[in-house]
Amino acid sequence: MMGRARGFHLLRWLLVLLISLTWVTMGNAAALAERSDFGGSSLAANRVGYHATHPDVVPLIQQNGFRAGTAPGRLGSGGTYVNNTAEGAIAEFAHHNPGVTPSVLKVQYNPGINASTSVAPRNYVERLPFHNVDSISAPSVRLPGTTNTNVLNGTVRLIE
């Protein structure tokens, strides 16, 4: 019975994401299809977020930029995870790296076409069934009230 409830929860979460994606792309698909030079939708403005990481990785990011993640995550893999607050980024990092004090990087990114949900995902997945989105956002499980975004379009740039 527990497996059935989890399956229902995952299905409900995916349905909310699909509806969100449909809402984003309905009505103004031509405008959404136009791309700006920054790589995102011409309708999406740049945003600021926070990325917590191991202190020894910071020089590599400063030198080479961010690289897409490969591990499964709540919002899939293949992008760079950011949170809308420094505290949220720290909470996410702390869960996976207990006892490690992270460096918190302030970043700018363009969400482009964003699939967003108000339901916090519970399971880790490699991929979500989206092919035309630039980012995926959902509430943080680790720090409720904050939002995680997996930026898939490679637009994450270091500010500080």
Side-chain angles (χ1 to χ4, degrees), residues 141-156:
V141 173
R142 310 290 174 220
L143 188 60
T146 68
T147 301
N148 289 320
T149 299
N150 184 5
V151 183
L152 303 165
N153 62 10
T155 61
V156 179

Side-chain angles (χ1 to χ4, degrees), residues 54-70:
H54 288 273
D56 57 337
V57 175
V58 173
L60 297 171
I61 292 171
Q62 291 169 330
Q63 184 176 25
N64 304 311
F66 290 89
R67 68 181 180 117
T70 58

Side-chain angles (χ1 to χ4, degrees), residues 3-155:
R4 189 174 188 183
R6 278 191 186 157
F8 177 75
H9 181 74
L10 178 61
L11 182 61
R12 187 179 88 182
W13 183 80
L14 286 173
L15 181 60
V16 169
L17 277 175
L18 285 171
I19 290 169
S20 298
L21 178 61
T22 303
W23 181 262
V24 167
T25 58
M26 277 180 16
N28 206 356
L32 286 172
E34 294 175 18
R35 297 289 179 172
S36 68
D37 290 336
F38 195 57
S41 167
S42 60
L43 297 180
N46 291 336
R47 293 190 186 158
V48 172
Y50 299 88
H51 179 83
T53 190
H54 288 273
D56 57 337
V57 175
V58 173
L60 297 171
I61 292 171
Q62 291 169 330
Q63 184 176 25
N64 304 311
F66 290 89
R67 68 181 180 117
T70 58
R74 286 192 165 85
L75 302 176
S77 64
T80 302
Y81 274 75
V82 299
N83 189 280
N84 67 323
T85 69
E87 297 79 14
I90 292 168
E92 295 290 341
F93 179 89
H95 176 76
H96 297 285
N97 303 279
V100 177
T101 301
S103 291
V104 179
L105 306 174
K106 187 174 184 180
V107 300
Q108 182 179 49
Y109 66 99
N110 187 308
I113 298 173
N114 177 263
S116 180
T117 181
S118 60
V119 178
R122 301 286 180 198
N123 299 314
Y124 288 77
V125 295
E126 286 188 35
R127 296 187 203 289
L128 291 169
F130 304 123
H131 301 287
N132 293 324
V133 298
D134 297 308
S135 61
I136 302 170
S137 300
S140 170
V141 173
R142 310 290 174 220
L143 188 60
T146 68
T147 301
N148 289 320
T149 299
N150 184 5
V151 183
L152 303 165
N153 62 10
T155 61

